[in-house]
Amino acid sequence: MRYNWNWSVLFADPYFGWILSGLGWTILVSLVAWIIGLALGSVIGVMRTLPSPVARAVGATYVEVFRNVPLLVQIFLFYFVLPEVLPREMGRWLKRDLPHPELTMAIISLGLYTACRVAEQVRAGIQSAGKGLANAGLATGLTTAQLYRLILLPLAYRLTVPALTNEFLNVFKNSSLALTIGVLELTARTRAVADYTYQSIEAFTAASLIYATISFLVSFLMRRAETMAQLPGTLAARER
């Protein structure tokens, strides 16, 4: 096969603008989905460690449901099926009147899926703190809410920085699935550039480099954050 390389097409108008626009949508989807996943995942993770069996059961059910259904299926369910099973007016609002319905559903799907994974990281972090620390906090007169807010959650976040970094990178990469319902994120825009210019190798190489560069940058920043968050006396701190 004879292939004519043409890297300059990536910087030509309008293709350069398409790639930048796709990158912007990718970052938006990733950041908002991550905020949803971190906030909801923290709540679910705490629920899985509470003394209440009802709270633990609700948290466990959420994790098992969202963890065992593929993300792509969840995106299709939220975008195509949910509007059909809701009352007619609500379904019509989701399909027609909701601003950017495909973007909104992609963010919600990715955020809810990420929450179940973050919940397990938070749960593991809280349990790593040990019952002794929790009992000591309660013995000093802290309420359960104060115990989690002041001691257990901050400690859990510090212990799980590497795992949470991986989850954010997963969100960033999984955002490419949003193209299946029409979100013009980076992968979708790259495919469009390849289709219009027939320079598919250049287009997808550029997209790969962009994904890799951002992932390396996030990993670098989170390693710095991990170093700052290390607790004296832990295994991670002793390895330095």
Side-chain angles (χ1 to χ4, degrees), residues 65-77 113 177:
V65 168
F66 282 89
R67 182 169 59 182
N68 292 316
V69 178
L71 176 57
L72 183 59
V73 175
Q74 294 184 36
I75 291 175
F76 286 167
L77 286 174
Y113 175 77
L177 292 177

Side-chain angles (χ1 to χ4, degrees), residues 95-182:
K95 289 190 293 186
R96 299 180 181 178
D97 300 330
L98 179 68
H100 303 292
E102 65 285 345
L103 175 67
T104 304
M105 288 304 169
I107 290 174
I108 291 174
S109 305
L110 188 54
L112 295 181
Y113 175 77
T114 304
C116 78
R117 299 176 60 86
V118 171
E120 287 301 274
Q121 306 299 337
V122 172
R123 179 182 66 84
I126 292 174
Q127 291 178 338
S128 296
K131 290 185 178 179
L133 185 60
N135 292 333
L138 293 173
T140 61
L142 295 177
T143 64
T144 301
Q146 290 173 329
L147 175 67
Y148 275 88
R149 180 168 57 87
L150 300 176
I151 299 177
L152 295 182
L153 268 179
L155 182 58
Y157 288 137
R158 295 180 71 171
L159 293 173
T160 57
V161 169
L164 293 178
T165 302
N166 288 333
E167 293 306 326
F168 178 78
L169 295 179
N170 285 333
V171 172
F172 181 61
K173 291 178 285 188
N174 287 336
S175 67
S176 61
L177 292 177
L179 73 87
T180 58
I181 57 174

Side-chain angles (χ1 to χ4, degrees), residues 212-232:
T213 301
I214 294 180
S215 296
F216 288 144
L217 179 61
V218 171
S219 297
F220 172 76
L221 293 176
M222 293 307 293
R223 278 199 297 271
R224 298 294 299 271
E226 179 184 354
T227 302
M228 297 172 64
Q230 284 175 352
L231 294 172

Side-chain angles (χ1 to χ4, degrees), residues 3-19 192-194 196-204 206:
Y3 187 82
N4 295 320
W5 296 91
N6 184 11
W7 291 97
S8 63
V9 72
L10 298 175
F11 303 97
D13 187 53
Y15 310 122
F16 185 66
W18 289 2
I19 294 175
V193 171
Y196 275 82
T197 64
Y198 301 103
Q199 304 294 326
S200 56
I201 296 179
E202 291 89 335
F204 284 104

